[in-house]
Amino acid sequence: MSDMQGKVVDLIIGVLIMFIAPVLYFNKTAQSGEELMIRQYTTAFVENVCTHGYLSRTMYEDYVRQLSEQDVILTVEMEHSERIFEPVYARNPGDEGAFFFSGNVREYEKVTYTDEIIGRISEQKGRYEMGAEDSFKVVIHLNEAEGSKVVAAYTGRIRDIQVE
């Protein structure tokens, strides 16, 4: 009788392996396919923004619509970095109310994040303008039960902007 029980257990394990393993494999393949599509959408979006030198409401809404077609919950983070060059002025020792150019220039980086970018799109004719040589970055997080995982991150440099 124990030999029969062993064969039944072996049969059950064999059936489970034959059916569960392919399901797990195809589920993983489907996830990889979704992640690939998300990366492609993100790359195309960033390249489009960098080519034009601005982010429009339509560009952003189209991108979010493409992402929402995937069967996953995503978080989009955007970041615009620009280098600022600012002349340094000093007080004129002879006249307290006057300043003169010291010959130095201060350089720093200003970073604008998602909430402010989207806010400016709403305020400024539906466009967020960027300057040549600025950088634009998008990071996509996949929100899962066990936490957040970066699916795509892409950074591009704004090209010389053509007047439209």
Side-chain angles (χ1 to χ4, degrees), residues 44-120:
F45 173 64
V46 172
E47 287 297 322
N48 191 20
V49 170
C50 290
T51 300
H52 288 90
Y54 64 85
L55 173 61
S56 71
R57 180 187 319 244
T58 305
M59 292 162 72
Y60 180 71
E61 288 173 351
D62 288 347
Y63 175 62
V64 170
R65 182 186 44 75
Q66 288 175 327
L67 292 179
S68 66
E69 291 172 356
Q70 305 303 311
D71 292 332
V72 292
I73 299 171
L74 301 169
T75 303
V76 178
E77 292 179 1
M78 295 183 290
E79 187 177 296
H80 167 226
S81 301
E82 58 184 314
R83 290 176 43 185
I84 306 292
F85 298 95
E86 191 173 85
V88 178
Y89 292 95
R91 276 196 193 276
N92 187 345
D95 182 5
E96 288 297 317
F99 293 88
F100 67 93
F101 177 58
S102 67
N104 295 325
V105 176
R106 185 176 77 148
E107 177 184 348
Y108 61 95
E109 184 174 47
K110 179 183 174 196
V111 181
T112 307
Y113 297 99
T114 308
D115 293 337
E116 188 175 345
I117 292 171
I118 292 173
R120 286 197 203 165

Side-chain angles (χ1 to χ4, degrees), residues 93-162:
D95 182 5
E96 288 297 317
F99 293 88
F100 67 93
F101 177 58
S102 67
N104 295 325
V105 176
R106 185 176 77 148
E107 177 184 348
Y108 61 95
E109 184 174 47
K110 179 183 174 196
V111 181
T112 307
Y113 297 99
T114 308
D115 293 337
E116 188 175 345
I117 292 171
I118 292 173
R120 286 197 203 165
I121 289 174
S122 300
E123 297 167 3
Q124 301 173 350
K125 302 179 199 173
R127 284 169 77 147
Y128 176 77
E129 301 284 339
M130 295 175 226
E133 298 303 315
D134 291 355
S135 67
F136 182 67
K137 177 180 180 181
V138 175
V139 178
I140 303 298
H141 295 273
L142 175 63
N143 301 323
E144 297 177 327
E146 58 272 357
S148 180
K149 164 181 140 181
V150 174
V151 176
Y154 194 77
T155 304
R157 188 138 323 266
I158 307 299
R159 291 154 183 79
D160 290 336
I161 300 168
Q162 305 295 320

